[in-house]
Amino acid sequence: RHTRYWRDWSSDVCSSDLGCRAQPGLRNFPFVDEKIIVMNMVGMLPLDVAGAVVVLWLALGLLGLTLQRSPHLITNVIFPIGAMVSLALAATGLWALGELANFAVLPLGLPDLPFHLRLDPLSAFFLILLGGASFGVSLFSAGYFKSTQGNTLGLLCLEYHLFLASMALVLLADDAYMFMVAWETMALSSYFLVTTDHNRSEEHTSELQSRQY
């Protein structure tokens, strides 16, 4: 099963002169170009950096949840770091615009249906937009949430960075299963992101209405 799986994946990627990541057992297949394997063993692909950004966002969200008793660290450290990670994603998108498509198969998912990722110039363009927008939002959040209670702020930090990570995975998904999981995660995290601090939103709405009258 694994032999056929790697054969299909490597033939789709390597035989069409696209860069692929070296995997155990690929050297046994005669149609795999030795030069492509060596190049990717010593280098780093844009998809590697994009995946690292997703992991960093998830780590920042979990770290914010553990720092509920130190809200100043969340606003002064976590959100600014998240903004820098967003810049890294935008830079990765710029890098990927001039590169060939990158592919990856994650060791996650169902036994016979793992997650597939793809980064091509089209998804790279939207990663630039996501990185640029989230950079500004993260910086704004650092000041906007300074008066928020620690427990609520920790949840908001987790939901916000989970939302960003899942949105990036939506852009990188290369199969319907990965897209569905990422899309539903993005939808749920955005819903809880809006409803977690609903009292604050109601206060702002009342304040705006009072100003109008």
Side-chain angles (χ1 to χ4, degrees):
R1 184 182 65 188
H2 291 288
T3 301
R4 180 173 59 84
Y5 172 76
W6 287 115
R7 179 186 293 273
D8 292 341
W9 176 76
S10 58
S11 62
D12 291 340
V13 178
C14 297
S15 62
S16 59
D17 294 331
L18 295 178
C20 68
R21 179 149 303 284
Q23 298 289 346
L26 284 184
R27 296 180 183 273
N28 298 326
F29 300 130
F31 51 76
V32 178
D33 192 348
E34 183 76 14
K35 294 181 179 179
I36 294 178
I37 292 179
V38 174
M39 179 187 66
N40 288 310
M41 286 179 64
V42 300
M44 189 174 233
L45 300 175
L47 186 56
D48 298 328
V49 182
V53 167
V54 172
V55 173
L56 283 175
W57 269 336
L58 294 175
L60 288 175
L62 293 174
L63 182 60
L65 188 63
T66 60
L67 294 176
Q68 293 181 359
R69 296 183 179 180
S70 303
H72 63 282
L73 291 178
I74 299 177
T75 55
N76 297 332
V77 178
I78 301 298
F79 280 111
I81 292 178
M84 296 300 104
V85 174
S86 298
L87 276 184
L89 182 67
T92 302
L94 285 173
W95 175 22
L97 281 177
E99 298 290 333
L100 296 174
N102 303 165
F103 301 83
V105 181
L106 302 181
L108 302 172
L110 298 177
D112 294 324
L113 189 60
F115 292 145
H116 295 75
L117 300 180
R118 173 191 176 101
L119 178 55
D120 53 26
L122 179 60
S123 56
F125 172 75
F126 286 100
L127 286 182
I128 296 173
L129 298 181
L130 174 60
S134 59
F135 171 74
V137 173
S138 297
L139 289 182
F140 178 79
S141 300
Y144 181 78
F145 291 119
K146 280 190 175 181
S147 60
T148 305
Q149 296 180 354
N151 293 338
T152 302
L153 184 57
L155 287 176
L156 288 172
C157 182
L158 173 64
E159 292 156 1
Y160 171 67
H161 290 97
L162 179 61
F163 171 74
L164 294 180
S166 57
M167 187 180 295
L169 289 176
V170 167
L171 301 176
L172 296 173
D174 195 32
D175 59 72
Y177 181 38
M178 177 77 253
F179 181 85
M180 180 189 66
V181 172
W183 183 273
E184 293 300 327
T185 304
M186 182 185 68
L188 289 174
S189 59
S190 62
Y191 169 78
F192 288 110
L193 183 62
V194 172
T195 58
T196 296
D197 200 21
H198 63 279
N199 292 328
R200 185 186 183 96
S201 300
E202 292 176 356
E203 291 176 359
H204 286 185
T205 302
S206 301
E207 183 179 354
L208 290 175
Q209 291 176 350
S210 63
R211 289 181 179 179
Q212 291 176 356
Y213 293 106

